Amino acid sequence: MIEFNAIALLRRPAATSCQSPLCGDQRFLEMREGERARLSAAYRANGMSGNPDRLQRRFDHGMRCFGTDERGELIAWFWALHGVPRYFDELAWQIPLSTTQVWLRDAFVVPRRRGRRLLIAMMGAGIDVEATPAEYFSDVSVSNLPSLRAHRSLG
């Protein structure tokens, strides 16, 4: 079954500032393909399927996963595409992106850590990973008001 939701397509220029630092015991990291089991476990611990095959397909399509670790626990993450097509794994569609565009998707903060501007801090750290982007895109369900507020804070 495929479920369609109304989404908001968001765009912001790279020059927009969004500095909100991570806390001292938190570190920003890139989750590599070899850490798929850790990522899958984090998904499952938060009520999502965490299907390893689906995660592998994302890596295979050039998606990169970034997260925030707090004392060994993955407490937030998002996926980013830069220099590769935006892959909609739900439908196996691809949308071309130029090398100056980044698409951020599937941002998640564990429920007990929400409301502390962690998404803003994590995405702010992620913006510094690549030097060439001129604009960022993201898609968010219009019913996800906390995510829309966080994205608005990012510009």
Side-chain angles (χ1 to χ4, degrees):
M1 177 171 104
I2 297 175
E3 179 180 324
F4 289 98
N5 295 305
I7 62 167
L9 176 61
L10 308 170
R11 177 191 171 274
R12 87 172 185 89
T16 306
S17 175
C18 63
Q19 295 303 317
S20 179
L22 291 170
C23 294
D25 56 350
Q26 297 170 343
R27 66 183 178 94
F28 181 74
L29 54 90
E30 181 169 0
M31 301 292 296
R32 304 284 182 183
E33 192 172 344
E35 297 173 283
R36 189 178 50 159
R38 179 183 184 199
L39 186 56
S40 180
Y43 270 81
R44 287 192 312 274
N46 287 284
M48 297 173 279
S49 77
N51 181 321
D53 294 333
R54 183 175 185 195
L55 297 177
Q56 185 61 51
R57 282 192 304 276
R58 289 181 172 201
F59 285 116
D60 291 346
H61 281 88
M63 294 177 75
R64 297 169 68 185
C65 187
F66 297 93
T68 299
D69 177 277
E70 184 176 74
R71 289 181 238 119
E73 179 187 359
L74 191 60
I75 59 169
W77 60 86
F78 68 92
W79 291 87
L81 296 100
H82 178 229
V84 297
R86 172 21 172 128
Y87 175 62
F88 286 84
D89 49 351
E90 301 89 345
L91 301 168
W93 290 352
Q94 293 185 354
I95 296 175
L97 296 175
S98 79
T99 58
T100 63
Q101 297 171 321
V102 174
W103 198 302
L104 307 173
R105 67 167 293 182
D106 294 345
F108 183 81
V109 176
V110 298
R112 73 180 196 298
R113 303 295 289 145
R114 292 179 182 161
R116 298 179 181 153
R117 302 182 61 83
L118 182 57
L119 176 66
I120 295 165
M122 179 179 61
M123 288 189 149
I127 285 169
D128 294 331
V129 170
E130 300 286 345
T132 59
E135 60 187 341
Y136 290 86
F137 293 92
S138 185
D139 53 288
V140 179
S141 171
V142 296
S143 64
N144 189 343
L145 298 179
S147 184
L148 286 171
R149 277 192 303 273
H151 279 79
R152 188 175 303 117
S153 295
L154 290 166

